[in-house]
Amino acid sequence: MYIRVKRALDIVISLSAIIALSWLLVLIALVIKLEDGGKVIFKQKRIGIHKREFYIYKFRTMRADTPKDIPTHMLKDPKAYITKAGGFLRRSSLDELPQLFNILKGEMSIVGPRPALYNQYDLIEERDKYGANDITPGLTGWAQINGRDELPISVKAAYDGEYVKRMSIFFDIGIIIKTVFSVFTADGVMEGKNENNTDRGK
């Protein structure tokens, strides 16, 4: 029953946010374009519900010549690839705003396990143990507010499994509130310094 309510809330919240933040979306797009002239939106193949592949949207935060589909930590010098605007967008998590369109399309939810990279086989396999691949991935999630980039794969998957068991409107609201605090403090973000930092792309 909650799955249907959750989807309805996703549509209302994402559409409302897109309308309310349209000015900010346009402003960020202009800043990115003016900085190096490259594409504004970065698309990356991710794993969705039932392990179906989809393309996640983000504001581009790295140079146009950055290798694709490679986690930030695997680059020789990650910081050298991040643009000036990109550094701010990552710290503030504003680079994630285009995922509101993924949510509106039904590929993502406001709350759920963060979608794994299509080639992140270890995380996908671990999530299978908990049924976490059988729910819609989210913009934020239980693992995100309990360590984010600092968590080992096995621990991250276990948190995702706990979310599957506890999923409810009140649990989701609590996660959203805690996410807001995490964003303001940049809690758990270790750009290019941790082997488990696999959620970032361009």
Side-chain angles (χ1 to χ4, degrees):
M1 178 63 183
Y2 177 56
I3 296 297
R4 292 182 180 179
V5 174
K6 186 178 174 70
R7 177 58 188 148
L9 289 174
D10 284 340
I11 293 172
V12 172
I13 293 173
S14 61
L15 183 58
S16 299
I18 289 169
I19 294 172
L21 299 174
S22 57
W23 65 273
L24 181 58
L25 296 172
V26 172
L27 178 61
I28 293 173
L30 286 173
V31 170
I32 294 171
K33 196 68 177 178
L34 289 173
E35 183 167 5
D36 68 359
K39 292 182 179 180
V40 170
I41 298 296
F42 168 62
K43 296 193 297 183
Q44 190 177 57
K45 193 184 295 184
R46 295 294 181 109
I47 298 299
I49 186 170
H50 305 314
K51 293 189 280 191
R52 298 182 190 129
E53 294 180 352
F54 74 99
Y55 284 93
I56 197 173
Y57 305 134
K58 294 188 177 190
F59 279 123
R60 183 172 58 83
T61 59
M62 304 186 83
R63 292 182 349 221
D65 61 347
T66 304
K68 295 181 179 180
D69 295 325
I70 296 180
T72 304
H73 75 277
M74 292 183 68
L75 296 172
K76 186 175 181 180
D77 185 6
K79 291 184 179 180
Y81 285 97
I82 300 173
T83 63
K84 291 181 180 179
F88 171 75
L89 292 175
R90 287 180 171 226
R91 287 192 300 272
S92 62
S93 292
L94 289 174
D95 62 319
E96 310 283 357
L97 284 179
Q99 287 161 49
L100 290 169
F101 292 95
N102 287 118
I103 295 170
L104 191 60
K105 290 169 64 179
E107 297 167 331
M108 291 178 63
S109 179
I110 299 293
V111 182
R114 283 295 295 168
L117 284 163
Y118 76 95
N119 56 0
Q120 199 175 353
Y121 306 114
D122 49 355
L123 178 57
I124 296 168
E125 185 178 351
E126 282 293 313
R127 283 178 170 172
D128 269 336
K129 299 176 183 178
Y130 302 98
N133 289 316
D134 296 323
I135 62 172
T136 307
L139 180 64
T140 185
W142 186 228
Q144 293 300 104
I145 62 171
N146 281 286
R148 200 171 176 176
D149 297 337
E150 298 174 342
L151 296 176
I153 294 297
S154 58
V155 177
K156 185 181 294 186
Y159 272 120
D160 293 333
E162 184 180 348
Y163 174 74
V164 173
K165 292 180 179 179
R166 298 178 59 185
M167 187 167 52
S168 70
I169 189 168
F170 297 108
F171 193 38
D172 280 4
I173 290 173
I175 290 173
I176 292 170
I177 292 172
K178 289 181 180 179
T179 297
V180 173
F181 285 103
S182 295
V183 167
F184 280 115
T185 60
D187 188 32
V189 178
M190 299 179 67
E191 197 65 74
K193 297 181 181 179
N194 189 285
E195 65 179 0
N196 304 304
N197 182 6
T198 54
D199 190 45
R200 291 294 187 180
K202 276 192 181 181

